[in-house]
Amino acid sequence: MSVVCARVYGDKVVMAADSIVCRGDMKRTNGNIVKLREVNGMGVGGVGTAQELNLMFRFAETHLPSSPTESGMQDFVVEFSK
């Protein structure tokens, strides 16, 4: 199970993630897969397949949420999934 979390401290947001990568019975923690990245002024983090997360990073390079709200983020994720 992967974990990405964020905490708001007044004027900043701190994000963190674990470093484990799993596939079947294989587990690695050598740090070759990045789960957090700053892209286009946004902190982007994800769990799931490395392939899909890398596609999200690429998508975020050219797209922004419509607003910094839950609804804006939902629209952003729906657009990515299409």
Side-chain angles (χ1 to χ4, degrees):
M1 180 169 102
S2 289
V3 176
V4 174
C5 59
R7 184 169 179 180
V8 178
Y9 291 95
D11 64 340
K12 65 182 176 179
V13 176
V14 177
M15 295 178 68
D18 65 350
S19 61
I20 194 165
V21 176
C22 302
R23 184 174 183 112
D25 291 337
M26 183 274 308
K27 296 178 183 173
R28 291 187 305 181
T29 57
N30 61 7
N32 289 337
I33 304 297
V34 175
K35 295 181 183 182
L36 295 176
R37 189 175 288 172
E38 184 175 344
V39 182
N40 203 10
M42 299 180 287
V44 180
V47 300
T49 66
Q51 178 182 8
E52 188 167 39
L53 181 54
N54 281 309
L55 289 173
M56 170 56 91
F57 290 148
R58 294 296 301 267
F59 177 80
E61 289 175 357
T62 59
H63 296 76
L64 289 171
S66 58
S67 64
T69 63
E70 184 177 346
S71 177
M73 288 305 302
Q74 288 172 343
D75 292 343
F76 180 76
V77 172
V78 167
E79 186 180 357
F80 168 70
S81 69
K82 288 179 181 178

Coordinates of all heavy atoms in Angstrom, one line a residue:
M1 N 0.8 -1.2 0.0 CA 0.0 0.0 0.0 C 0.9 1.2 0.0 O 1.8 1.3 0.8 CB -0.9 0.0 1.2 CG -1.8 1.2 1.3 SD -3.0 1.0 2.6 CE -2.3 2.0 3.9
S2 N 0.6 2.2 -0.9 CA 1.3 3.4 -0.9 C 0.6 4.5 -0.2 O -0.6 4.5 0.0 CB 1.5 3.9 -2.4 OG 2.4 3.0 -3.0
V3 N 1.4 5.5 0.3 CA 0.8 6.6 1.0 C 1.4 7.9 0.5 O 2.6 8.1 0.3 CB 1.1 6.5 2.5 CG1 0.6 7.7 3.3 CG2 0.5 5.2 3.1
V4 N 0.5 8.9 0.2 CA 0.9 10.3 -0.1 C 0.0 11.1 0.8 O -1.2 10.9 0.9 CB 0.6 10.6 -1.6 CG1 0.9 12.1 -1.8 CG2 1.5 9.8 -2.5
C5 N 0.6 12.1 1.5 CA -0.2 12.9 2.4 C 0.3 14.4 2.3 O 1.3 14.7 1.8 CB -0.1 12.4 3.9 SG 1.6 12.4 4.5
A6 N -0.6 15.2 2.8 CA -0.3 16.7 2.8 C -0.8 17.3 4.1 O -1.9 16.8 4.6 CB -0.9 17.3 1.6
R7 N -0.2 18.3 4.5 CA -0.6 19.1 5.7 C -0.4 20.5 5.4 O 0.6 21.0 4.9 CB 0.2 18.6 6.9 CG -0.3 19.3 8.2 CD 0.2 18.7 9.4 NE -0.3 19.4 10.6 CZ 0.0 19.2 11.8 NH1 0.9 18.2 12.1 NH2 -0.5 19.9 12.8
V8 N -1.4 21.3 5.8 CA -1.4 22.8 5.6 C -0.9 23.4 6.9 O -1.4 23.1 8.0 CB -2.8 23.3 5.2 CG1 -2.8 24.8 5.1 CG2 -3.3 22.7 4.0
Y9 N 0.1 24.2 6.7 CA 0.7 25.0 7.8 C 0.6 26.5 7.4 O 1.5 27.0 6.8 CB 2.2 24.7 8.0 CG 2.5 23.4 8.6 CD1 2.8 22.3 7.7 CD2 2.5 23.1 9.9 CE1 3.1 21.1 8.2 CE2 2.8 21.8 10.4 CZ 3.1 20.8 9.6 OH 3.4 19.6 10.1
G10 N -0.4 27.2 7.8 CA -0.6 28.6 7.6 C -0.3 29.0 6.1 O -1.2 28.9 5.3
D11 N 0.9 29.3 5.8 CA 1.2 29.8 4.5 C 1.9 28.8 3.6 O 2.4 29.2 2.5 CB 2.2 31.1 4.6 CG 3.5 30.7 5.2 OD1 3.6 29.7 5.9 OD2 4.4 31.5 5.0
K12 N 1.9 27.5 4.0 CA 2.6 26.5 3.1 C 1.9 25.2 3.3 O 1.2 24.9 4.3 CB 4.1 26.4 3.4 CG 4.4 25.9 4.8 CD 5.9 25.8 5.0 CE 6.2 25.4 6.5 NZ 7.6 25.3 6.7
V13 N 2.1 24.3 2.3 CA 1.6 23.0 2.3 C 2.8 22.0 2.3 O 3.7 22.2 1.4 CB 0.7 22.7 1.1 CG1 0.3 21.2 1.1 CG2 -0.5 23.6 1.1
V14 N 2.9 21.1 3.2 CA 4.0 20.1 3.2 C 3.4 18.8 2.7 O 2.4 18.3 3.2 CB 4.6 20.0 4.6 CG1 5.7 18.9 4.6 CG2 5.2 21.3 5.0
M15 N 4.1 18.2 1.7 CA 3.6 16.9 1.2 C 4.7 15.8 1.4 O 5.9 16.2 1.5 CB 3.4 17.0 -0.3 CG 2.2 17.9 -0.7 SD 2.0 18.0 -2.5 CE 1.4 16.4 -2.9
A16 N 4.3 14.6 1.6 CA 5.2 13.5 1.9 C 4.7 12.2 1.2 O 3.5 12.1 1.1 CB 5.5 13.3 3.4
A17 N 5.6 11.3 0.9 CA 5.2 10.0 0.4 C 6.1 8.9 0.8 O 7.3 9.2 1.1 CB 5.1 10.0 -1.1
D18 N 5.7 7.7 0.8 CA 6.6 6.6 1.1 C 7.4 6.3 -0.2 O 7.1 7.0 -1.2 CB 5.8 5.3 1.6 CG 4.9 4.8 0.5 OD1 4.7 5.5 -0.5 OD2 4.4 3.7 0.7
S19 N 8.3 5.4 -0.1 CA 9.2 5.2 -1.3 C 9.1 3.7 -1.8 O 9.9 3.4 -2.7 CB 10.7 5.5 -1.0 OG 11.1 4.7 0.1
I20 N 8.2 3.0 -1.3 CA 8.1 1.6 -1.7 C 7.4 1.4 -3.1 O 6.4 2.1 -3.3 CB 7.4 0.7 -0.6 CG1 7.7 -0.8 -0.9 CG2 5.9 1.0 -0.5 CD1 7.4 -1.7 0.3
V21 N 7.8 0.5 -3.9 CA 7.2 0.2 -5.1 C 6.9 -1.3 -5.1 O 7.9 -2.1 -4.8 CB 8.1 0.5 -6.3 CG1 7.5 0.0 -7.6 CG2 8.5 2.0 -6.3
C22 N 5.7 -1.7 -5.4 CA 5.3 -3.2 -5.3 C 4.7 -3.6 -6.6 O 4.0 -2.8 -7.3 CB 4.3 -3.4 -4.2 SG 4.8 -2.9 -2.6
R23 N 5.0 -4.8 -6.9 CA 4.3 -5.5 -8.1 C 4.3 -7.0 -7.8 O 5.3 -7.6 -7.7 CB 5.0 -5.2 -9.4 CG 4.3 -5.8 -10.6 CD 5.0 -5.4 -11.9 NE 4.2 -5.9 -13.0 CZ 3.5 -5.1 -13.8 NH1 3.5 -3.8 -13.7 NH2 2.8 -5.7 -14.8
G24 N 3.1 -7.5 -7.5 CA 3.0 -8.9 -7.1 C 3.7 -9.1 -5.8 O 3.5 -8.4 -4.8
D25 N 4.7 -10.0 -5.7 CA 5.5 -10.3 -4.5 C 6.8 -9.4 -4.5 O 7.5 -9.5 -3.5 CB 5.9 -11.8 -4.4 CG 4.7 -12.6 -4.2 OD1 3.7 -12.1 -3.6 OD2 4.7 -13.8 -4.5
M26 N 7.1 -8.7 -5.5 CA 8.3 -7.9 -5.6 C 8.1 -6.5 -4.9 O 7.1 -5.9 -5.1 CB 8.7 -7.6 -7.0 CG 9.9 -6.9 -7.3 SD 9.9 -5.1 -7.3 CE 8.6 -4.7 -8.4
K27 N 9.0 -6.2 -4.0 CA 9.0 -4.9 -3.3 C 10.3 -4.2 -3.4 O 11.4 -4.9 -3.2 CB 8.6 -5.1 -1.9 CG 7.2 -5.6 -1.7 CD 6.8 -5.8 -0.3 CE 5.4 -6.4 -0.2 NZ 5.1 -6.8 1.1
R28 N 10.4 -2.9 -3.8 CA 11.6 -2.2 -3.9 C 11.5 -0.9 -3.1 O 10.4 -0.3 -3.1 CB 12.0 -1.9 -5.3 CG 12.4 -3.1 -6.1 CD 12.9 -2.6 -7.5 NE 11.9 -1.8 -8.1 CZ 12.0 -1.3 -9.3 NH1 13.1 -1.5 -10.0 NH2 11.1 -0.6 -9.9
T29 N 12.6 -0.4 -2.6 CA 12.6 0.9 -2.0 C 13.8 1.7 -2.4 O 14.3 2.5 -1.7 CB 12.6 0.8 -0.4 OG1 13.7 0.1 0.0 CG2 11.3 0.2 0.1
N30 N 14.3 1.5 -3.6 CA 15.5 2.1 -4.1 C 15.3 3.5 -4.6 O 16.2 4.2 -5.0 CB 16.2 1.2 -5.1 CG 15.4 1.0 -6.4 OD1 14.3 1.6 -6.5 ND2 15.9 0.1 -7.2
G31 N 14.1 4.0 -4.6 CA 13.8 5.4 -5.0 C 13.8 5.7 -6.5 O 13.9 6.9 -6.9
N32 N 13.7 4.7 -7.4 CA 13.7 5.0 -8.8 C 12.4 5.5 -9.3 O 12.3 6.2 -10.3 CB 14.0 3.7 -9.6 CG 15.4 3.3 -9.5 OD1 16.3 4.1 -9.2 ND2 15.7 2.0 -9.7
I33 N 11.3 5.3 -8.5 CA 10.0 5.8 -8.9 C 9.7 7.0 -8.0 O 9.8 7.0 -6.8 CB 8.9 4.7 -8.7 CG1 9.2 3.5 -9.5 CG2 7.5 5.3 -9.0 CD1 9.3 3.7 -11.0
V34 N 9.3 8.1 -8.6 CA 9.0 9.4 -7.9 C 7.5 9.4 -7.8 O 6.7 9.3 -8.7 CB 9.5 10.6 -8.7 CG1 9.1 11.9 -8.1 CG2 11.0 10.5 -8.9
K35 N 7.0 9.6 -6.5 CA 5.6 9.7 -6.2 C 5.1 11.1 -6.0 O 3.9 11.4 -6.0 CB 5.2 8.9 -5.0 CG 5.5 7.4 -5.2 CD 5.1 6.6 -4.0 CE 5.3 5.1 -4.2 NZ 4.9 4.4 -3.0
L36 N 6.1 12.1 -5.8 CA 5.8 13.5 -5.6 C 6.6 14.3 -6.6 O 7.8 14.0 -6.8 CB 6.1 13.9 -4.2 CG 5.4 13.3 -3.1 CD1 6.0 13.8 -1.7 CD2 3.9 13.7 -3.1
R37 N 5.9 15.3 -7.1 CA 6.7 16.2 -8.0 C 6.0 17.6 -8.1 O 4.8 17.6 -8.0 CB 6.7 15.6 -9.4 CG 7.6 16.3 -10.4 CD 7.6 15.6 -11.7 NE 8.4 14.3 -11.6 CZ 8.5 13.4 -12.5 NH1 7.9 13.5 -13.6 NH2 9.2 12.3 -12.3
E38 N 6.7 18.6 -8.2 CA 6.1 19.9 -8.5 C 6.0 20.1 -10.0 O 7.0 20.0 -10.7 CB 7.0 21.1 -7.9 CG 6.3 22.4 -8.0 CD 7.0 23.5 -7.4 OE1 7.9 23.3 -6.5 OE2 6.7 24.7 -7.7
V39 N 4.8 20.3 -10.5 CA 4.6 20.4 -11.9 C 3.7 21.6 -12.1 O 2.6 21.7 -11.5 CB 3.9 19.1 -12.4 CG1 3.6 19.3 -13.9 CG2 4.6 17.9 -12.1
N40 N 4.1 22.5 -13.0 CA 3.2 23.7 -13.4 C 2.7 24.4 -12.2 O 1.6 24.9 -12.2 CB 2.1 23.1 -14.3 CG 1.5 24.1 -15.2 OD1 2.0 25.2 -15.3 ND2 0.4 23.8 -15.8
G41 N 3.5 24.6 -11.2 CA 3.2 25.3 -10.0 C 2.3 24.6 -9.0 O 1.8 25.1 -8.0
M42 N 2.1 23.3 -9.2 CA 1.3 22.5 -8.3 C 2.1 21.4 -7.7 O 3.0 20.9 -8.3 CB 0.2 21.7 -9.1 CG -0.8 22.6 -9.8 SD -2.1 21.6 -10.7 CE -1.1 21.0 -12.1
G43 N 1.8 21.0 -6.5 CA 2.4 19.8 -5.9 C 1.5 18.6 -6.3 O 0.3 18.6 -6.0
V44 N 2.1 17.7 -7.1 CA 1.3 16.5 -7.6 C 1.9 15.3 -6.9 O 3.1 15.0 -7.0 CB 1.4 16.4 -9.1 CG1 0.6 15.2 -9.6 CG2 0.9 17.7 -9.8
G45 N 1.0 14.5 -6.3 CA 1.4 13.2 -5.8 C 0.4 12.1 -6.1 O -0.7 12.4 -6.4
G46 N 0.9 10.9 -6.2 CA -0.1 9.9 -6.5 C 0.4 8.5 -6.1 O 1.5 8.2 -5.8
V47 N -0.6 7.6 -6.1 CA -0.4 6.2 -5.8 C -1.0 5.4 -6.9 O -1.7 5.9 -7.7 CB -1.0 5.8 -4.4 CG1 -0.4 6.6 -3.3 CG2 -2.5 6.0 -4.4
G48 N -0.7 4.1 -7.0 CA -1.2 3.3 -8.1 C 0.0 2.9 -9.0 O 1.1 2.8 -8.6
T49 N -0.3 2.7 -10.3 CA 0.7 2.3 -11.2 C 1.7 3.5 -11.5 O 1.2 4.6 -11.7 CB 0.2 1.7 -12.5 OG1 -0.5 2.8 -13.2 CG2 -0.8 0.6 -12.2
A50 N 2.9 3.1 -11.6 CA 3.9 4.1 -12.0 C 3.6 4.7 -13.4 O 3.8 5.9 -13.6 CB 5.3 3.5 -12.0
Q51 N 3.2 3.9 -14.3 CA 2.8 4.3 -15.6 C 1.8 5.4 -15.6 O 1.9 6.4 -16.2 CB 2.4 3.1 -16.5 CG 2.0 3.5 -17.9 CD 1.5 2.3 -18.7 OE1 1.3 1.2 -18.1 NE2 1.2 2.5 -19.9
E52 N 0.7 5.2 -14.8 CA -0.4 6.1 -14.8 C 0.0 7.4 -14.1 O -0.3 8.5 -14.5 CB -1.6 5.6 -14.1 CG -2.8 6.5 -14.2 CD -4.1 5.8 -13.9 OE1 -4.1 5.0 -12.9 OE2 -5.1 6.1 -14.5
L53 N 0.8 7.3 -13.0 CA 1.3 8.5 -12.3 C 2.2 9.3 -13.2 O 2.1 10.6 -13.3 CB 2.1 8.1 -11.1 CG 2.6 9.2 -10.2 CD1 1.5 10.2 -9.9 CD2 3.3 8.7 -9.0
N54 N 3.0 8.7 -14.0 CA 3.9 9.5 -15.0 C 3.0 10.1 -16.0 O 3.3 11.3 -16.4 CB 4.9 8.6 -15.6 CG 6.1 8.4 -14.6 OD1 6.6 9.3 -14.1 ND2 6.5 7.1 -14.4
L55 N 1.9 9.5 -16.4 CA 1.0 10.2 -17.4 C 0.4 11.4 -16.7 O 0.2 12.4 -17.4 CB 0.0 9.2 -17.9 CG 0.5 8.1 -18.8 CD1 -0.7 7.1 -19.1 CD2 1.0 8.7 -20.1
M56 N 0.0 11.3 -15.4 CA -0.6 12.4 -14.7 C 0.4 13.6 -14.6 O 0.1 14.7 -14.8 CB -1.0 12.0 -13.3 CG -1.4 13.2 -12.4 SD -2.7 14.3 -13.0 CE -4.1 13.5 -12.4
F57 N 1.7 13.3 -14.4 CA 2.7 14.3 -14.3 C 2.8 15.0 -15.7 O 2.9 16.2 -15.8 CB 4.1 13.7 -14.0 CG 4.3 13.3 -12.6 CD1 5.1 12.2 -12.3 CD2 3.6 13.9 -11.5 CE1 5.3 11.8 -11.0 CE2 3.8 13.5 -10.2 CZ 4.6 12.4 -9.9
R58 N 2.8 14.3 -16.8 CA 2.8 14.8 -18.1 C 1.6 15.7 -18.4 O 1.6 16.8 -19.0 CB 2.9 13.8 -19.2 CG 4.2 13.0 -19.2 CD 5.5 13.8 -19.5 NE 5.4 14.5 -20.8 CZ 5.9 14.0 -21.9 NH1 6.5 12.8 -21.9 NH2 5.8 14.7 -23.0
F59 N 0.4 15.2 -18.0 CA -0.9 15.9 -18.2 C -0.8 17.2 -17.4 O -1.2 18.3 -17.9 CB -2.0 15.0 -17.7 CG -3.4 15.7 -17.7 CD1 -4.1 15.7 -18.9 CD2 -4.0 16.2 -16.6 CE1 -5.3 16.3 -19.0 CE2 -5.2 16.8 -16.6 CZ -5.9 16.9 -17.8
A60 N -0.3 17.2 -16.2 CA -0.3 18.4 -15.4 C 0.7 19.5 -15.9 O 0.6 20.7 -15.6 CB 0.2 18.0 -13.9
E61 N 1.6 19.1 -16.8 CA 2.5 20.1 -17.4 C 1.7 21.0 -18.3 O 2.2 22.2 -18.5 CB 3.6 19.4 -18.2 CG 4.6 18.6 -17.4 CD 5.6 17.8 -18.2 OE1 5.5 17.8 -19.5 OE2 6.5 17.3 -17.6
T62 N 0.6 20.6 -18.9 CA -0.1 21.4 -19.8 C -1.6 21.7 -19.4 O -2.3 22.3 -20.2 CB -0.2 20.7 -21.2 OG1 -0.8 19.5 -21.1 CG2 1.2 20.6 -21.8
H63 N -2.0 21.3 -18.2 CA -3.3 21.5 -17.7 C -3.3 22.0 -16.3 O -2.4 21.6 -15.5 CB -4.1 20.2 -17.8 CG -4.3 19.7 -19.2 ND1 -3.4 19.0 -19.9 CD2 -5.4 19.7 -20.0 CE1 -3.8 18.7 -21.0 NE2 -5.1 19.1 -21.1
L64 N -4.3 22.8 -15.9 CA -4.4 23.3 -14.5 C -5.9 23.1 -14.1 O -6.8 23.1 -15.0 CB -4.1 24.8 -14.4 CG -2.7 25.2 -14.6 CD1 -2.6 26.7 -14.6 CD2 -1.9 24.7 -13.4
P65 N -6.1 22.8 -12.8 CA -7.5 22.8 -12.4 C -8.2 24.1 -12.6 O -7.6 25.2 -12.7 CB -7.4 22.5 -10.8 CG -6.0 22.0 -10.7 CD -5.2 22.6 -11.8
S66 N -9.5 24.1 -12.8 CA -10.3 25.3 -13.1 C -10.3 26.2 -11.9 O -10.5 27.4 -12.1 CB -11.7 24.9 -13.5 OG -12.4 24.2 -12.5
S67 N -10.2 25.7 -10.7 CA -10.1 26.5 -9.5 C -9.5 25.7 -8.4 O -9.5 24.4 -8.5 CB -11.6 26.9 -9.1 OG -12.3 25.7 -8.7
P68 N -9.0 26.3 -7.3 CA -8.3 25.6 -6.2 C -9.4 25.1 -5.2 O -9.3 25.4 -4.0 CB -7.4 26.6 -5.6 CG -8.1 27.9 -5.9 CD -8.8 27.8 -7.2
T69 N -10.4 24.4 -5.7 CA -11.5 23.9 -4.9 C -11.6 22.4 -5.1 O -11.0 21.8 -6.1 CB -12.8 24.5 -5.3 OG1 -13.1 24.2 -6.6 CG2 -12.7 26.1 -5.1
E70 N -12.4 21.7 -4.3 CA -12.6 20.3 -4.5 C -13.3 20.0 -5.8 O -12.9 19.1 -6.5 CB -13.5 19.8 -3.3 CG -13.8 18.3 -3.4 CD -14.6 17.8 -2.2 OE1 -14.8 18.5 -1.3 OE2 -15.1 16.6 -2.4
S71 N -14.2 20.9 -6.2 CA -14.9 20.7 -7.5 C -13.9 20.9 -8.7 O -13.9 20.2 -9.6 CB -16.0 21.7 -7.6 OG -16.6 21.6 -8.9
G72 N -13.0 21.9 -8.6 CA -12.0 22.2 -9.6 C -11.1 21.0 -9.7 O -10.7 20.6 -10.8
M73 N -10.7 20.4 -8.6 CA -9.8 19.2 -8.6 C -10.5 18.0 -9.2 O -9.9 17.2 -10.0 CB -9.2 18.9 -7.2 CG -8.2 19.9 -6.8 SD -6.8 20.2 -7.9 CE -6.2 18.5 -8.0
Q74 N -11.8 17.8 -8.9 CA -12.5 16.7 -9.4 C -12.6 16.8 -11.0 O -12.4 15.9 -11.7 CB -13.9 16.7 -8.8 CG -13.9 16.2 -7.4 CD -15.3 16.3 -6.8 OE1 -16.2 17.0 -7.2 NE2 -15.5 15.6 -5.6
D75 N -12.9 18.0 -11.5 CA -12.9 18.3 -12.9 C -11.6 18.0 -13.5 O -11.5 17.4 -14.6 CB -13.3 19.7 -13.2 CG -14.7 20.0 -12.8 OD1 -15.5 19.1 -12.6 OD2 -15.0 21.2 -12.7
F76 N -10.5 18.4 -12.9 CA -9.1 18.1 -13.4 C -8.9 16.6 -13.5 O -8.4 16.1 -14.5 CB -8.1 18.7 -12.4 CG -6.7 18.6 -12.7 CD1 -6.1 19.3 -13.7 CD2 -5.9 17.7 -12.0 CE1 -4.7 19.2 -14.0 CE2 -4.5 17.6 -12.3 CZ -4.0 18.3 -13.3
V77 N -9.2 15.8 -12.5 CA -9.0 14.4 -12.5 C -9.9 13.7 -13.6 O -9.5 12.8 -14.3 CB -9.2 13.8 -11.1 CG1 -9.2 12.3 -11.2 CG2 -8.2 14.3 -10.1
V78 N -11.1 14.2 -13.7 CA -12.0 13.6 -14.7 C -11.5 13.9 -16.1 O -11.5 13.0 -17.0 CB -13.5 14.2 -14.6 CG1 -14.3 13.9 -15.8 CG2 -14.1 13.7 -13.3
E79 N -11.0 15.1 -16.3 CA -10.4 15.4 -17.6 C -9.2 14.5 -17.9 O -9.0 14.0 -19.0 CB -9.9 16.9 -17.7 CG -9.4 17.3 -19.0 CD -9.0 18.8 -19.1 OE1 -9.2 19.5 -18.1 OE2 -8.5 19.2 -20.1
F80 N -8.3 14.3 -16.9 CA -7.2 13.4 -17.0 C -7.6 12.0 -17.4 O -7.1 11.3 -18.3 CB -6.3 13.4 -15.7 CG -5.3 12.3 -15.7 CD1 -4.2 12.3 -16.5 CD2 -5.5 11.2 -14.9 CE1 -3.3 11.3 -16.5 CE2 -4.6 10.2 -14.8 CZ -3.4 10.2 -15.7
S81 N -8.7 11.5 -16.7 CA -9.1 10.1 -16.9 C -9.7 9.9 -18.3 O -9.7 8.8 -18.9 CB -10.2 9.7 -15.9 OG -11.4 10.4 -16.1
K82 N -10.2 11.0 -19.0 CA -10.7 10.9 -20.3 C -9.5 10.8 -21.3 O -9.6 10.2 -22.3 CB -11.5 12.1 -20.7 CG -12.9 12.1 -20.0 CD -13.7 13.3 -20.3 CE -15.0 13.3 -19.6 NZ -15.8 14.5 -19.8

